[in-house]
Amino acid sequence: MMNSESDVAGKTSLTDPVVRESSRIPILIAIICGLIAVVAIIIAAVALGRGQASTTVVSSGGGQPQSSSQSSAKTQSGTGSQSKVWTIAIGHDYGAHEYIDTKGYLAGFHHDLIDAVCKAAGIICKTMWQPYVNCWDSSAGKRATAGEGLMARWFDACTGWTATVDRVQVVSFSDPFLKISNSLFFVKKGQESQFNPRSLIGLTKPIGFLDGWASDEKCLARDTSITGSTLPVNKILHIATTVEMKNKIVNGDIAAGYTSVKDLEHYSELAPVGIPFSCKISGNGMMTRKDNDFNTHWNRGFAKIKATGYRKICTDAKTKHGNIGDVNCLS
């Protein structure tokens, strides 16, 4: 018997378009969920990979380089709490304060002090060697300014810099941990009488200045007791290191070097001449950008050791670094 028209209308064929579309929906949902899960896994893996930044630092006190991994510049302190790692720029050309030892590692009073102060302050500090011009830079006849490294936040602080009239208008300083050292001229030993430190009129050779250091031509110009203390640009020579300055003085390339007593006193070939003049507002301390709060922590730690261990660090420096020079510790 043939089905009636009503029977045909009551049955649905599997080839009906509505049936086909409805059967695909669960499959599409499953595929979409799978894709979302894969994307989520990839994002998580990338985030974990970026969370760990491997850096190589040199710990204060010299020693071999240490590799450490920090998450977002954070690490575990000795007490187990989260604490920022403070990076400190330090050089190698400042007598007993900072130098390179016989094994090639950074050493000096500044390293000993950084270890003690940071420990007392409960902060984690890592030193990194930097050219001094990355902390403070100057050009003959131009106004000096903070170095690229300090301004670009390559590190948090620079070690052992003194506050001057020019610098306090640009950067900030910690409490001083060394006495003020006055500035004067240095000439080759035995030739003191051949240079007149009270008059610079008629110079045939330039005066040498350590590039970026406190005893610059601007400071010399402020010493009005010296006739001709404001030098023309062609009588100003900026020199990168103390060794280079010593050599230029000994070789007669410059009329004299002008710098702090402590900068060149360890060179036996040289002799200081003239009347000492202060180029500094305060003694050596830590130098930072004005928007960096490292000095707050440093001052807290230094106040603690000043009352207990500072004197011992200074005394030990005579034994550990005395062959390089003296340290001008606070009284």
Side-chain angles (χ1 to χ4, degrees):
M1 177 183 290
M2 303 246 340
N3 291 325
S4 64
E5 189 172 334
S6 60
D7 290 337
V8 173
K11 294 181 179 180
T12 304
S13 171
L14 291 176
T15 60
D16 191 300
V18 175
V19 175
R20 289 199 305 270
E21 292 300 325
S22 62
S23 65
R24 291 174 183 171
I25 292 174
I27 297 174
L28 291 173
I29 292 174
I31 292 172
I32 292 172
C33 291
L35 290 173
I36 292 173
V38 170
V39 171
I41 291 172
I42 293 173
I43 292 174
V46 172
L48 288 173
R50 289 180 177 177
Q52 295 292 328
S54 180
T55 60
T56 300
V57 296
V58 178
S59 63
S60 56
Q64 297 187 18
Q66 300 174 347
S67 179
S68 61
S69 294
Q70 297 118 23
S71 177
S72 301
K74 299 278 185 175
T75 188
Q76 295 289 331
S77 70
T79 58
S81 61
Q82 290 284 328
S83 178
K84 174 180 169 60
V85 174
W86 298 94
T87 51
I88 303 173
I90 195 165
H92 72 278
D93 189 27
Y94 189 26
H97 305 88
E98 45 195 55
Y99 60 94
I100 296 177
D101 66 18
T102 55
K103 295 182 179 179
Y105 294 116
L106 297 173
F109 169 80
H110 284 166
H111 290 281
D112 303 337
L113 187 68
I114 289 170
D115 285 340
V117 171
C118 291
K119 181 178 180 180
I123 58 176
I124 300 172
C125 300
K126 299 292 182 180
T127 59
M128 53 192 300
W129 180 87
Q130 288 287 308
Y132 293 123
V133 294
N134 285 343
C135 287
W136 189 263
D137 195 13
S138 63
S139 299
K142 296 182 180 180
R143 190 173 181 84
T145 187
E148 180 183 7
L150 187 60
M151 298 305 288
R153 296 182 173 86
W154 295 353
F155 38 79
D156 293 296
C158 295
T159 310
W161 291 77
T162 54
T164 67
V165 172
D166 293 326
R167 291 174 183 170
V168 295
Q169 301 178 68
V170 182
V171 292
S172 294
F173 292 87
S174 71
D175 294 337
F177 49 75
L178 293 175
K179 294 179 183 176
I180 289 179
S181 177
N182 289 331
S183 304
L184 39 62
F185 296 100
F186 278 84
V187 298
K188 184 177 180 180
K189 184 171 289 185
Q191 297 182 356
E192 294 91 330
S193 62
Q194 298 179 28
F195 176 78
N196 182 3
R198 306 313 299 161
S199 177
L200 302 180
I201 300 296
L203 286 175
T204 58
K205 296 178 181 179
I207 299 294
F209 302 89
L210 289 168
D211 188 33
W213 291 42
S215 306
D216 59 11
E217 66 272 18
K218 290 86 171 177
C219 173
L220 177 60
R222 290 194 289 269
D223 188 352
T224 56
S225 68
I226 299 176
T227 304
S229 61
T230 300
L231 299 174
V233 174
N234 67 339
K235 290 298 183 287
I236 300 170
L237 180 64
H238 282 206
I239 301 171
T241 68
T242 61
V243 173
E244 185 181 351
M245 177 176 276
K246 182 260 294 182
N247 290 338
K248 286 187 177 298
I249 294 172
V250 171
N251 295 334
D253 298 327
I254 56 178
Y258 186 76
T259 187
S260 166
V261 173
K262 290 295 179 183
D263 299 341
L264 296 179
E265 68 175 2
H266 52 290
Y267 292 118
S268 59
E269 306 96 319
L270 306 181
V273 293
I275 300 174
F277 180 78
S278 180
C279 292
K280 306 164 184 177
I281 295 174
S282 64
N284 305 58
M286 307 302 281
M287 184 172 73
T288 68
R289 288 173 55 97
K290 287 183 179 291
D291 59 358
N292 190 302
D293 64 345
F294 171 79
N295 285 336
T296 300
H297 304 287
W298 175 273
N299 288 342
R300 183 179 67 249
F302 182 64
K304 290 181 179 179
I305 71 156
K306 191 176 180 182
T308 55
Y310 174 74
R311 185 51 51 190
K312 185 177 187 305
I313 296 173
C314 291
T315 301
D316 290 346
K318 294 180 181 180
T319 302
K320 296 172 64 176
H321 317 297
N323 62 312
I324 306 296
D326 295 326
V327 175
N328 201 23
C329 283
L330 300 173
S331 299

